[in-house]
Amino acid sequence: MTDRHPGEDPSPLMLSDEQLNDYLPVFLVEIRSQKGERYPEKTLYSLVVHINTARREHNHLLANIFTDAVFAPSKAMLDACMKSAKQDRIGNDVQVENRRKHSPLSEAEHLQIATTLDTTTPKGLIHCIFMMLGIQFALRGKRDTLRADHRPVFG
């Protein structure tokens, strides 16, 4: 680890690439929620993305955590932590349970949707793509409608 003053909490914005590369793997391994639980892989990735974005906005000459070779150890640790969280199914059960609690669909309807949109089968994959395209076009139509300045078409 890089030497620092005791009691000092350095901002990721003020660290050099080498210093951040020393701190980031330790941060990824030790970070916990307020309940003391590990974070899901998407949260870990999101934290690193935000650190990377903030650093590069502060100083565009700093290395990119995801692409520059100097951060290979940090990226390897992020990958390992994400893989571990995924294998341990951290956050997955809670997300599914919360979705079901707030959903007006019955358990049978959830099961039907899960089997219809099963991406491991060709038919399920086609259903998924069809649904995603439908949602995309619906959202795009809504956005375009909200942006329109309501001028007459023939005027």
Side-chain angles (χ1 to χ4, degrees), residues 10 18 27 29 45 49 53 56 64 69 81 84 89 94 103 111 113 116 140 145 148 150 155:
E18 293 77 19
F27 170 78
V29 170
Y45 183 79
V49 165
T53 303
R56 298 198 33 98
N64 185 320
C81 289
S84 171
R89 299 187 51 83
V94 174
S103 173
L111 184 59
I113 290 170
T116 303
R140 181 177 175 196
T145 301
H150 303 293

Side-chain angles (χ1 to χ4, degrees), residues 30 33 43 47 53-54 63 65 67 74 79 84 87-88 93 96-98 101 103 107 129 138 141 147 153:
E30 294 182 353
S33 69
T43 304
L47 287 168
T53 303
I65 294 172
T67 59
S74 293
D79 292 342
S84 171
Q87 286 175 345
D88 296 343
D93 298 334
V96 170
E97 192 59 38
N98 284 341
K101 276 183 195 175
S103 173
E107 191 68 30
I129 292 170
R147 264 198 233 158
V153 177

Side-chain angles (χ1 to χ4, degrees), residues 26-92:
V26 176
F27 170 78
L28 290 169
V29 170
E30 294 182 353
I31 188 168
R32 298 288 186 266
S33 69
Q34 289 181 345
K35 294 179 183 177
E37 299 169 354
R38 290 171 46 204
Y39 284 111
E41 71 269 14
K42 289 180 182 178
T43 304
L44 292 173
Y45 183 79
S46 180
L47 287 168
V48 176
V49 165
H50 289 297
I51 290 170
N52 189 53
T53 303
R55 290 181 81 238
R56 298 198 33 98
E57 284 176 357
H58 181 72
N59 182 352
H60 69 279
L61 298 176
L62 293 173
N64 185 320
I65 294 172
F66 296 101
T67 59
D68 291 336
V70 70
F71 283 108
S74 293
K75 180 132 176 24
M77 183 57 73
L78 174 63
D79 292 342
C81 289
M82 288 174 60
K83 183 184 267 187
S84 171
K86 186 173 185 170
Q87 286 175 345
D88 296 343
R89 299 187 51 83
I90 294 173
N92 291 341

